[in-house]
Amino acid sequence: MPTVKEVIQSRKSSIKYAKQTTEILATLELRINQIEKIRQKLLRHPKSSSNLIEQLNQLILPKLLDLIIQEKQAWEKLWKRFSRETINIGVAGRARQGKSTFLQNVCGLSDEHIPASNRMACTSVQSNIYHST
C-alpha cells in the first residue's frame, strides 16, 4: 500500500504533462478564436464567392471552441490537483473495523498520532491530520 508521501511524489511526475497540455489547449483556443474572426469577416465581405460562403458556413468553430475550453478546464483541474502538496482521504465504517490502522499505514504515523483502540471509538469525528517538515 503506497504512503501519502509516495502518492504525492507520483503525482508530481504528471504535473509537467498536465501543464503542457493545458498550454497547448490555450494556444489552440486562441488560434481558433482568430480563425473565427477571419471567418466572420469573410462571410460579410462583399466579394466572397457563394462557394466560399457555403464552405465557411460548414465550419462549426464555436462548437469546437467549446469542446477545447472544456478540455482545457479539465486539464487545468488536473494540473492544480497534481501540484498540491496534500491529499484528502475519506474513511468511513463501523467501529473497530481498522479505519485508524489503515490511516496509520497510509500516512506512516503511529498510534500516538492516529489513535487506534479496541475500547471506545477514538476517531468517530472528522480528524484532520497535517504533515509538516
Side-chain angles (χ1 to χ4, degrees), residues 35-36 39 53-63:
I35 292 169
E36 178 60 17
R39 185 181 83 88
I53 290 173
E54 183 181 331
Q55 294 296 318
L56 289 172
N57 280 328
Q58 290 181 12
L59 293 175
I60 311 170
L61 295 178
K63 186 174 183 175

Side-chain angles (χ1 to χ4, degrees), residues 11 45 59 95 132:
R11 286 194 317 195
H45 195 279
L59 293 175
S132 61

